[in-house]
Amino acid sequence: MADQAPIIHRTIGSDLAPVPTMVAQLRTAVREAMNDRKVVEIPQYQPMTRAEAVLHHAQQVRAAWAASIALECLIFAMLCVLVVRAQFDRMYPPQDDQGTRVEVTTLRRAA
């Protein structure tokens, strides 16, 4: 900026008609911008625990909440399917001629 100062002063004091007009408009715009400044109050920092942060900002992470709940429910659903399948295998064991050799051997061991 110090290198440009002589050029700026020569431009401001120029004899060309449009230059002083533009400088006056620029000064007016800068003054208006300076007057339009607003003081913004920044709230004081208040630390919070992780639980408070999760509860306070829950609306911002709805998709993450939905995905995590769906994953937890998926694990429970798979467990239920496995329990029901195991119960059916105990109630109705395959005959020797049904299923592959591995399935029949595994079910005989489980029984």
Side-chain angles (χ1 to χ4, degrees), residues 60-100:
Q60 296 175 353
V61 287
R62 287 185 180 146
W65 278 69
S68 64
I69 291 170
L71 286 174
E72 292 294 328
C73 290
L74 179 66
I75 293 169
F76 180 70
M78 291 174 64
L79 178 65
C80 290
V81 168
L82 288 174
V83 168
V84 169
R85 174 67 186 191
Q87 187 63 29
F88 276 138
D89 287 342
R90 285 188 184 146
M91 289 173 33
Y92 307 108
Q95 304 300 325
D96 289 337
D97 57 345
Q98 294 178 347
T100 63

Side-chain angles (χ1 to χ4, degrees), residues 15-77:
D15 295 343
L16 299 173
V19 173
T21 307
M22 287 191 294
V23 169
Q25 290 174 350
L26 182 61
R27 284 183 177 158
T28 305
V30 169
R31 284 188 189 119
E32 288 176 3
M34 293 294 285
N35 291 336
D36 288 343
R37 288 189 308 176
K38 295 179 182 176
V39 177
V40 178
E41 290 187 27
I42 300 173
Q44 185 177 2
Y45 174 74
Q46 295 177 353
M48 62 175 66
T49 65
R50 288 184 182 180
E52 290 173 338
V54 167
L55 294 174
H56 187 265
H57 299 289
Q59 70 276 6
Q60 296 175 353
V61 287
R62 287 185 180 146
W65 278 69
S68 64
I69 291 170
L71 286 174
E72 292 294 328
C73 290
L74 179 66
I75 293 169
F76 180 70

